Amino acid sequence: ENVYTKESLEALKKAIAVAQNVYDNENATKLQITKQQNALSQAIINLDQKKTTSSTEDNSGESLDIKTLSDGVYYLPGKMMKTDKQSLSMANEALDHTVKLTVKKKKYTLTLSFNGLTINGQKGYLGWLKYYKDAYGGPVGSPKAVDVTKKQNGTDYPKEISFTMIAEAKKDGYVPLQVFVPVMDAISAGSGTQNVYLKLDLENITLDKKSVKETEDNGNSGSRT
């Protein structure tokens, strides 16, 4: 229903209902069966996709609610924050600020992409990232490994990762994570591993990746130390 128009879906439902009656009829003729097969095929062909919006609305013009999303792929802005929730983390520079959200059978999966980063003139990558599975109130407990789906060219550093979004993030958009930045650790031993928050902009969910609007301070400004 998020993909096709109401009219074309209603036509398909009617075709299904008529075909079901023929299917349930033990005395249906071959001609009747063939007619309904053709009708079903035509109804599927006639499904008309809705026009994609370029805002925080779905294809029906209604705002998308993080708590009630249908199965599908969505995009929203995100940024890496320190645990004080006030300033940007050093990992923010490496993050692609367009976050992918996949919803399937009420399971929410986040996909993050990373680029290189520069700290005190030294270039590098995010070493690894973990997520907290149950962390209401802050990054506590033992972080879990994410799924690394792509690596930076010629390295073992992650370029794209995915993991399950905790339910608490639907309320305030904060996803507790742990990151390791080798460059930072080389500058100051022990400082490369830090707890951070991925802050999701829940008000700007969209079906169109190109229309994602970065929220204020999503760029490379602010403190990252």
Side-chain angles (χ1 to χ4, degrees):
E1 293 180 353
N2 282 340
V3 178
Y4 300 105
T5 62
K6 181 178 179 180
E7 293 77 10
S8 63
L9 281 174
E10 287 298 324
L12 175 59
K13 290 176 181 178
K14 290 180 180 179
I16 291 174
V18 175
Q20 186 67 47
N21 289 333
V22 174
Y23 180 82
D24 293 337
N25 182 6
E26 296 181 355
N27 298 319
T29 65
K30 184 176 181 180
L31 179 61
Q32 289 175 314
I33 294 172
T34 300
K35 181 179 178 181
Q36 296 312 313
Q37 287 177 325
N38 293 337
L40 279 174
S41 297
Q42 191 60 49
I44 293 173
I45 292 173
N46 290 342
L47 283 174
D48 186 20
Q49 284 192 335
K50 294 179 179 180
K51 294 182 180 180
T52 303
T53 59
S54 59
S55 66
T56 61
E57 299 178 344
D58 65 11
N59 289 327
S60 65
E62 298 178 354
S63 297
L64 292 168
D65 186 345
I66 187 71
K67 299 177 182 177
T68 59
L69 294 176
S70 303
D71 284 4
V73 177
Y74 305 86
Y75 301 92
L76 66 166
K79 55 187 175 182
M80 291 290 194
M81 307 292 296
K82 292 182 180 181
T83 53
D84 62 7
K85 298 182 180 180
Q86 299 296 320
S87 49
L88 294 176
S89 164
M90 60 186 175
N92 188 63
E93 184 179 339
L95 178 69
D96 182 332
H97 297 125
T98 297
V99 177
K100 178 181 177 182
L101 170 62
T102 303
V103 180
K104 186 175 183 181
K105 296 181 178 179
K106 297 184 179 180
K107 179 182 178 180
Y108 286 47
T109 301
L110 295 172
T111 300
L112 308 182
S113 297
F114 298 97
N115 302 304
L117 75 166
T118 301
I119 298 177
N120 290 353
Q122 297 189 39
K123 296 182 179 180
Y125 296 102
L126 203 69
W128 48 253
L129 184 145
K130 298 180 181 181
Y131 74 104
Y132 289 90
K133 189 174 181 180
D134 297 298
Y136 185 76
V140 294
S142 300
K144 309 296 181 181
V146 300
D147 293 323
V148 178
T149 52
K150 291 182 182 179
K151 294 182 178 180
Q152 303 288 352
N153 290 336
T155 75
D156 286 328
Y157 297 137
K159 182 175 179 62
E160 182 182 276
I161 59 103
S162 63
F163 58 95
T164 302
M165 187 181 86
I166 62 172
E168 291 86 351
K170 295 180 183 179
K171 300 176 182 178
D172 57 14
Y174 285 99
V175 181
L177 306 170
Q178 187 179 87
V179 298
F180 174 66
V181 183
V183 172
M184 193 67 190
D185 204 62
I187 295 173
S188 178
S191 64
T193 302
Q194 294 188 11
N195 287 330
V196 299
Y197 282 109
L198 169 66
K199 179 62 173 72
L200 300 173
D201 183 356
L202 304 182
E203 301 299 320
N204 284 293
I205 305 172
T206 178
L207 294 164
D208 183 8
K209 183 178 181 180
K210 295 181 180 179
S211 69
V212 174
K213 298 178 181 179
E214 292 189 3
T215 54
E216 186 179 357
D217 291 330
N218 248 15
N220 295 330
S221 62
S223 172
R224 301 182 191 86
T225 57

